[in-house]
Amino acid sequence: EDQVTQSPEALRLQEGESSSLNCSYTVSGLRGLFWYRQDPGKGPEFLFTLYSAGEEKEKERLKATLTKKESFLHITAPKPEDSATYLCAVRPNSGNTPLVFGKGTRLSVIA
Amino acid sequence: GAGVSQSPSNKVTEKGKDVELRCDPISGHTALYWYRQSLGQGLEFLIYFQGNSAPDKSGLPSDRFSAERTGGSVSTLTIQRTQQEDSAVYLCASSFLGLYNEQFFGPGTRLTVL
């Protein structure tokens, strides 16, 4: 069964305190790993797509990396406006399910 | 429009009533998806439309759930005889070229079944 596990469930950081969020996955094959940001009361906002192990992508204070078993979302010197829930999703190589999502990591950045 | 829109933003209904949720995808996007997000749970795939192909209904939890997409654009998700466990946020997403591109989400419809 295709599965995505995100850790930690919640993370509280001081402004400027860098950290990483983890996304572990088991899939029959990987067509892509996606990171989204979700603010309360809103739909998920697309951040990154990674397709192969070793790939990295960056956007402002965020950097996503991918291995054969997991992905990391590194947050460098976070600001309070980075507070949100970060969702990881995979597109399996088999089956009809478009995306399989993890439950997310709820990030709070305190000024 | 600039993004995916959904209506209503909130819906409160009584157990046993039918509800309809609407999604307007991004213009030109050929694929449309419905997901459900319950408190403390990840997004759960419900149904997927791609162009004129038969929809992928493999995620629909029961036969009380159905969806249609008219003219390759607007979609309606219908839940018949609503139950309290149907309470959730229903999210719609669209993408270009189907499975191989990133999905863009609407703001969701929060459904509460009393």
Side-chain angles (χ1 to χ4, degrees), chain A residues 19-77:
Chain A
S19 188
S20 297
L21 313 183
N22 178 262
C23 171
S24 298
Y25 62 90
T26 54
V27 292
S28 52
L30 187 67
R31 281 185 185 165
L33 184 141
F34 302 81
W35 282 98
Y36 287 85
R37 167 187 172 135
Q38 187 173 25
D39 292 296
K42 296 188 177 181
E45 173 190 348
F46 171 75
L47 294 174
F48 303 109
T49 309
L50 301 167
Y51 288 105
S52 57
E55 189 174 359
E56 298 183 352
K57 288 193 177 174
E58 288 188 67
K59 179 180 180 181
E60 296 180 354
R61 295 175 293 283
L62 300 177
K63 178 179 171 181
T65 62
L66 180 65
T67 72
K68 289 185 178 180
K69 294 292 184 185
E70 58 191 350
S71 176
F72 291 94
L73 184 65
H74 307 278
I75 303 176
T76 302

Side-chain angles (χ1 to χ4, degrees), chain B residues 53-76:
Chain B
S53 302
D56 175 0
K57 303 179 182 180
S58 60
L60 294 178
S62 78
D63 58 8
R64 295 186 296 105
F65 288 72
S66 63
E68 63 178 22
R69 188 179 185 191
T70 54
S73 181
V74 172
S75 177
T76 302

